[in-house]
Structure formats: structure tokens, C-alpha cells
Amino acid sequence: MSLSERPMKLLEEEFKRYNKDEALHTNIVAAVLMAETIRTSFGPFGLDKMILDPVGDIIISNDGSTIVKNFDVRHPVARILDNLVRSQDKEVGDGSKTAVILVGELLKQAFKLLSEKINPNDIIDGYEIALRWTNEILNEIAIEIDINDGKILKDIAKTALTSKIHGKNEDYISDLIIDAIHHVREIKDGKDHINTKNIYILAKKGGNIPDSKLIKGMVIDKEVISESMPKRIENAKIAMIEPSLEHKKVHKFDPKIYINNSNQMKSFLRKDKEVIENFIKKMKETGVNVALFRRDISERSQRLLANANIMAARFVHREQFYPAQKAVGAKLITKLDDYSPKDLGHAELVEERKIGKKKIIFIEGCKNPKAVCLFLRAGIKNVGYELERRVIDAISVVRNAIKDKKVLPGGAATEIETAKRIRLKSSSVAGKKQLAIEAFADSLEIIPKTLIETAGLDQLDYLTELRASHNQETDEDIYFGLNFENKQPMNMAKLGIMDSFKAKYHAINAASEVARLILRIDDIIDQADESAYAPPPKPREDYDDED
Ligand SMILES: Nc1ncnc2c1ncn2[C@@H]1O[C@H](COP(=O)(O)OP(=O)(O)OP(=O)(O)O)[C@@H](O)[C@H]1O
Ligand SMILES: [Mg+2]
């Protein structure tokens, strides 16, 4: 019996298996369908999607990663695209729809080549060459910026916000964002350092978008712990306290303490009470009038604090607590018996206010705060959610621009110029790979095509005009993109329509990687039962919709 005749069973029969052509076909169709769904929400005229999540909540969003993450699709390609948008979101904060749309188009173009009997390996090789060129071209056409030019940074924020919040609001919100970034920007070792976690965003239902504001301080989404404590304090001296103010728990985390008998325990508790009393006494003596606690405060401690006329809040959320510490300029108190007034922070005003049905503590007027809060308002909950998502994107693109010191022209100028240059270079590569390189260039043009389509304009006319605008042999023609105001291609740098270099670079590279990955798959072995496809549990949104 020859080797090939030997009976062999590699897989259990109940597993589904797709042959080579089926595997490629089904994967490509899935990616193209998902990209098509995303396309209608792309760009300044993109529409929103309404998604009903598994627990019946409604999400209305235009944000690529939010839409893809909430796709409840069984196909494994959906998981791959989900990972793609998550990485786009995490690494660069914008460009997630660009990435998904590009994957769809790269695979659509590849499918055409496959139908002409071109080998997937030639397509993969051609795409790899085209991507290498693209990366060079992106660096060539990038616009260097003066990162201290507030107008440019505002333009970048506005492009990321466009269409996502309506009317003139984007102007106002961009100003708030630039102001916020200005506060948290630090120069370390000669390099710009922006920790976006130091901009805490809190969106609350009620009011309108123009009621949003930048708080040079922080909001603490808790109420003052006791009715007998003050609710408004001017010239606040603030203590930020890590340990609990419950006796029994003061030394809970101290590994050096051993208790062997009940007497030891009693004396230990007595000592705990003393430590707490002394701590509150010292705070009072040194003028502390606000105390924020990460952990709990016992009822006895609450009474002592109230008697000392100190406003206090407990269980302050870590996302507010640590930025609050930076905002007020306090040092964290980690041991109650190691208190120093030098650790205190300051604010002009600390006040508990009622927002909707909830009470919130506002810390305002901090001098030179290293963390701030963007307090966003919107008439309805869903608008608040969406505003928050868009503001997060815009903060990321401004951070990217400051770090990169360069941007790319928006309105598809970058894609048109890159496609043009790739086509010019493609004749240097012989054989079938050349076709794949050209297909890559064609795929980039899905970006202008989609922008034109969503704006309801004639695709052929406008695309031809846009391509022609890049052949004028002038210095500025590389920046010509879609201008929807007068429907003529215009210099995007002059119009201030600019995209994050990092986001576009990442989107094109990640999309190309995913397309090549899918083209390499020639077998699907489906061992998963239905439960394996249940959507992963969603993290709770950090948005309060209490009222
Ligand atoms: N005013 C404008 N005129 C022309 N094009 C614009 C304008 N504003 C934005 N764009 C373009 O819209 C595209 C970005 O659209 P959008 O923000 O919907 O997608 P994305 O950034 O890929 O996805 P997401 O923001 O959901 O992560 C970019 O190509 C950008 O240049
Ligand atoms: Mg965007």
C-alpha cells in the first residue's frame, strides 16, 4: 500500500471544512459585505448606524470601531475586522472606517485578479510592494506642522469631528479640546508627552453641546458623603487619601503586621482609632477643607470629618482620583501616620452640584492643572455617547499630530496622490505582480469614491476632476482633495482639512496586512459550536445615564 493510499483521518467528520476556493470566496465575501455596510457612514456626509445590542440597548453611532465592535456576525472574518478596528482605536484613535473599507476593496480587487487565474501569491507579493511604496509616498507628501500653531491643531481636531457633531458645535468643541491638550502637554527629555488619560471626559445628559466646558480641575462623580459636611468650599485645600478611614482596615495592606491573640487585636484597634483621630486632627490644624478618598470611610470617621468641617467623598473612581491629584497638584497620602501639609493640593472652588438627578462634585480653578476634565453636555443620552466617542478620536489625532509633527492632506488628496504615484512606478515591475500593484492603487481610490458617493455627487465626474487636479504640475496639486463647499477640488492644506499621519499610515498598513492574511487562507476548518460565536461580553461604558 502506498503512502497516499493509506487511510487517514485528520479531522472529526462533524467539523465543517471548506476547500481552497470556497474558503477564499467565503472570506472575501464576508469582508466585502462588512466594508459595504461601513461605507455609508464614512466621511463628513456619512450617516449614523443604529445598533441594537444583545441586551436591547440602542447605540446610534458613526464611529467605525463602535459599529464593527457591535456587529453580531458569526463569520470568522468579522472577528478579524473586529481586531483590526480595536488595534486602530488603541494605537492611533482614528481611521477605523478607512481601514475596514480598504480591506473590503483590496479583497474585491484581488477577487477580480483571482477570477483571471492570477495566483494569490502574486497578488500578495504585488500588494506588499505597493504597500512599501505607499509608506514612502506618505512620508513624501506629509505636511510638516508647527506644533505650537493652535490654528493647525484646531483644524486637525475639526476634521476628526466633522459630521459627527452637527452645526457650529465642532468649532467650539475643537477649542475645548486644544485647550485641554495644552494643559496636559509636558516636555520630557526634550520630547512632547501627552497622556490622554489626563483628560477625563464626562458626558452628562441635559443642556446642549455648547453648554459643554473645560474644567480646569476635575469632576468627581460622587456626592459629599454626609449631609452635615459643607457642600461648597472656596480656596480649597485638598487631601487625596489612598488608605481607608475605617479602623480594622487602616493597616489591612501592611504585610509587616502579625496578630497572635485578642489583646493584641484590641490594642491594635485602639491604635487604629488613634491614628485616624490624629490624622483628621492634623488635617484640620493644617487647614484641609476637602478630603477625597479612594476607599471607604467609617461612620465614626465621617462624623469626625464633618465636625472638622471637612467636605469628603469616598470610593472615588480611579479614573477621576488620579487625574484629580494631578489637577490639584497634590501628593498622594499613602500612610495616615505619615502626613505632611506639603502633600496638599489647591483649587479655587470645590462644590457639589446637582446634574440631572445626580449630585457631582466639581473641583474648579486649579492653578496650572496637569489634568483637566472635559464636561460634555447633550440633550439626549445617545448624542452624549457619540459626542464622547468623537471627542476621544479628536484628542487622539491632535496628540498624534503633536508627536509626529506632520499631517496628511484630507478629503482623499492623500489617496489620490498615492494611487497616482504607485501607478507611475508600477511599470518598473514585470509580470502579474504589476497587475496586483495597480489593483492596490485602485483600492486606495475607494476612499475618494466613498466620500463622493456619501455626499450624493456623481462619482465618475468628480473622481475624474480630482485625478486631473493632481496633474497640474504645480507645487500644490498634491494637496488637492474633495471640497464639498463649492464642489471643486481644492488645496486641503489651505482649507484646513487634515488627517492624522499616524492614523492613515496605520489604517493602510493594517488593512493591507489583513487583506494579505485573508488571501493566504486556503482552508477553513470549523470546529466551533454555536456558543463559541457568542459575542464577547462588552465592557461597561463609562458614561452615566442615571437620569
Ligand atoms: N470637510 C471635509 N471635506 C472633505 N473630506 C473630509 C472632511 N472632513 C473629513 N473628511 C475626510 O473624511 C475621512 C474620515 O471620515 P471618518 O472620520 O468618517 O472615517 P474614519 O476616520 O476612517 O473612521 P472613524 O473616525 O470612525 O475612526 C477622511 O478621509 C477625511 O479626510
Ligand atoms: Mg475619523
Side-chain angles (χ1 to χ4, degrees):
M1 194 197 280
S2 77
L3 195 63
S4 58
E5 282 166 317
R6 225 175 263 259
M8 196 173 83
K9 195 173 159 213
L10 261 182
L11 297 166
E12 295 298 331
E13 257 127 43
E14 67 263 27
F15 297 156
K16 268 185 253 154
R17 186 160 184 184
Y18 299 83
N19 69 29
K20 186 175 177 189
D21 289 343
E22 269 175 359
L24 251 179
H25 186 255
T26 168
N27 284 340
I28 290 177
V29 168
V32 170
L33 283 177
M34 285 182 74
E36 283 299 321
T37 315
I38 289 285
R39 280 186 66 205
T40 53
S41 32
F42 186 62
F45 294 94
L47 300 174
D48 296 348
K49 304 259 171 238
M50 183 187 267
I51 305 157
L52 281 170
D53 77 5
V55 287
D57 266 354
I58 298 172
I59 300 167
I60 298 174
S61 180
N62 184 293
D63 179 55
S65 60
T66 306
I67 301 170
V68 174
K69 279 185 222 160
N70 283 288
F71 268 148
D72 190 7
V73 182
R74 186 188 185 277
H75 202 282
V77 163
R79 290 281 175 94
I80 297 177
L81 293 184
D82 184 80
N83 286 338
L84 169 73
V85 295
R86 281 177 200 272
S87 114
Q88 186 74 22
D89 226 18
K90 186 163 173 263
E91 304 290 327
V92 288
D94 191 32
S96 51
K97 284 184 296 238
T98 305
V100 174
I101 292 169
L102 270 176
V103 172
E105 194 60 19
L106 284 165
L107 289 173
K108 210 172 177 182
Q109 296 288 340
F111 191 70
K112 278 193 214 157
L113 297 176
L114 290 168
S115 338
E116 289 163 23
K117 300 277 175 265
I118 293 178
N119 188 296
N121 285 321
D122 282 329
I123 304 174
I124 292 167
D125 288 350
Y127 278 9
E128 265 169 15
I129 297 170
L131 179 68
R132 215 173 49 239
W133 292 349
T134 300
N135 289 340
E136 288 163 15
I137 297 165
L138 292 181
N139 275 299
E140 285 160 20
I141 62 180
I143 305 165
E144 290 196 3
I145 56 163
D146 171 3
I147 54 171
N148 295 313
D149 183 340
K151 153 104 179 50
I152 290 183
L153 297 182
K154 184 174 168 187
D155 284 343
I156 297 161
K158 262 175 79 178
T159 309
L161 288 172
T162 302
S163 89
K164 316 303 186 310
I165 51 173
H166 302 283
K168 292 280 156 230
N169 292 330
E170 63 206 28
D171 228 358
Y172 177 65
I173 296 291
S174 306
D175 279 333
L176 296 187
I177 289 170
I178 302 302
D179 205 3
I181 287 183
H182 170 74
H183 281 291
V184 303
R185 191 173 153 191
E186 287 173 283
I187 312 277
K188 279 188 193 162
D189 305 324
K191 279 190 187 156
D192 261 293
H193 188 81
I194 297 164
N195 184 353
T196 50
K197 286 200 181 115
N198 288 335
I199 303 175
Y200 182 74
I201 302 172
L202 185 70
K204 284 276 171 194
K205 190 172 86 172
N208 291 308
I209 293 175
D211 299 321
S212 304
K213 59 179 182 170
L214 175 73
I215 295 173
K216 290 177 188 153
M218 198 48 54
V219 289
I220 304 294
D221 208 354
K222 296 279 171 196
E223 47 186 275
V224 173
I225 194 164
S226 147
E227 268 311 308
S228 41
M229 286 177 180
K231 302 287 163 21
R232 179 186 161 91
I233 291 200
E234 287 177 20
N235 286 325
K237 254 187 167 183
I238 306 164
M240 309 281 308
I241 304 141
E242 186 87 54
S244 158
L245 268 209
E246 274 190 295
H247 70 287
K248 293 185 202 161
K249 289 194 182 166
V250 171
H251 292 96
K252 193 178 162 191
F253 302 105
D254 194 334
K256 287 182 243 113
I257 289 164
Y258 302 97
I259 292 170
N260 297 320
N261 56 51
S262 65
N263 281 345
Q264 255 180 345
M265 186 68 190
K266 273 184 203 150
S267 85
F268 192 69
L269 291 181
R270 214 172 26 249
K271 205 171 152 240
D272 256 8
K273 276 187 187 169
E274 267 170 42
V275 170
I276 292 175
E277 274 167 25
N278 276 339
F279 176 68
I280 294 174
K281 203 168 137 224
K282 272 193 197 151
M283 284 208 292
K284 190 180 174 189
E285 281 165 9
T286 48
V288 171
N289 43 23
V290 177
L292 299 175
F293 292 85
R294 264 291 282 142
R295 298 196 168 81
D296 204 0
I297 316 173
S298 67
E299 278 187 25
R300 186 170 178 277
S301 306
Q302 287 176 36
R303 278 197 304 277
L304 293 174
L305 286 165
N307 289 343
N309 227 7
I310 294 174
M311 173 201 273
R314 64 178 162 174
F315 293 129
V316 177
H317 199 284
R318 63 195 328 273
E319 286 183 9
Q320 295 160 1
F321 187 78
Y322 298 109
Q325 184 208 336
K326 291 195 172 140
V328 303
K331 249 180 100 189
L332 211 58
I333 296 169
T334 51
K335 282 186 179 167
L336 300 185
D337 47 10
D338 190 17
Y339 166 82
S340 157
K342 277 193 271 164
D343 297 343
L344 303 177
H346 300 268
E348 272 171 22
L349 179 68
V350 179
E351 186 175 35
E352 182 190 79
R353 291 178 202 149
K354 208 163 176 213
I355 301 290
K357 285 181 193 161
K358 267 195 95 179
K359 288 179 186 158
I360 294 179
I361 299 170
F362 286 77
I363 304 174
E364 291 176 331
C366 297
K367 241 189 225 153
N368 201 11
K370 289 286 157 241
V372 290
C373 171
L374 277 171
F375 184 56
L376 305 176
R377 307 305 308 273
I380 56 169
K381 181 177 89 175
N382 303 89
V383 177
Y385 274 132
E386 186 61 353
L387 179 62
E388 187 176 328
R389 284 190 282 264
R390 303 321 310 187
V391 167
I392 292 170
D393 276 15
I395 290 173
S396 303
V397 298
V398 176
R399 176 206 55 198
N400 295 347
I402 292 175
K403 282 193 165 175
D404 298 339
K405 299 191 173 58
K406 57 188 173 190
V407 290
L408 284 164
T414 298
E415 288 80 2
I416 288 285
E417 183 63 22
T418 310
K420 176 188 136 183
R421 293 189 189 193
I422 291 176
R423 284 193 191 103
L424 283 174
K425 278 178 97 166
S426 67
S427 54
S428 64
V429 177
K432 293 176 181 152
K433 285 179 196 153
Q434 189 190 110
L435 296 175
I437 292 172
E438 281 163 5
F440 190 99
D442 293 347
S443 304
L444 290 177
E445 287 191 345
I446 190 65
I447 299 301
K449 281 181 187 162
T450 309
L451 287 174
I452 296 168
E453 225 172 275
T454 49
L457 300 171
D458 185 288
Q459 211 191 77
L460 201 61
D461 281 2
Y462 213 45
L463 187 65
T464 317
E465 226 179 302
L466 189 59
R467 280 186 183 147
S469 72
H470 279 246
N471 287 318
Q472 301 171 91
E473 310 285 325
T474 63
D475 285 345
E476 58 169 3
D477 65 4
I478 58 174
Y479 306 128
F480 270 63
L482 296 160
N483 167 31
F484 295 110
E485 299 268 308
N486 67 2
K487 313 221 170 7
Q488 290 293 315
M490 282 204 37
N491 182 334
M492 294 287 112
K494 281 191 184 153
L495 278 185
I497 298 172
M498 288 187 284
D499 287 331
S500 157
F501 179 88
K502 204 173 261 145
K504 187 143 322 220
Y505 190 94
H506 193 280
I508 298 177
N509 278 268
S512 153
E513 195 181 315
V514 166
R516 282 178 287 142
L517 174 94
I518 291 175
L519 286 172
R520 266 194 206 106
I521 299 169
D522 78 340
D523 204 349
I524 303 177
I525 303 157
D526 186 351
Q527 304 185 52
D529 61 17
E530 283 298 315
S531 63
Y533 292 102
K538 290 196 187 79
R540 220 182 75 81
E541 298 259 5
D542 190 27
Y543 177 88
D544 181 88
D545 69 335
E546 178 80 7
D547 35 2

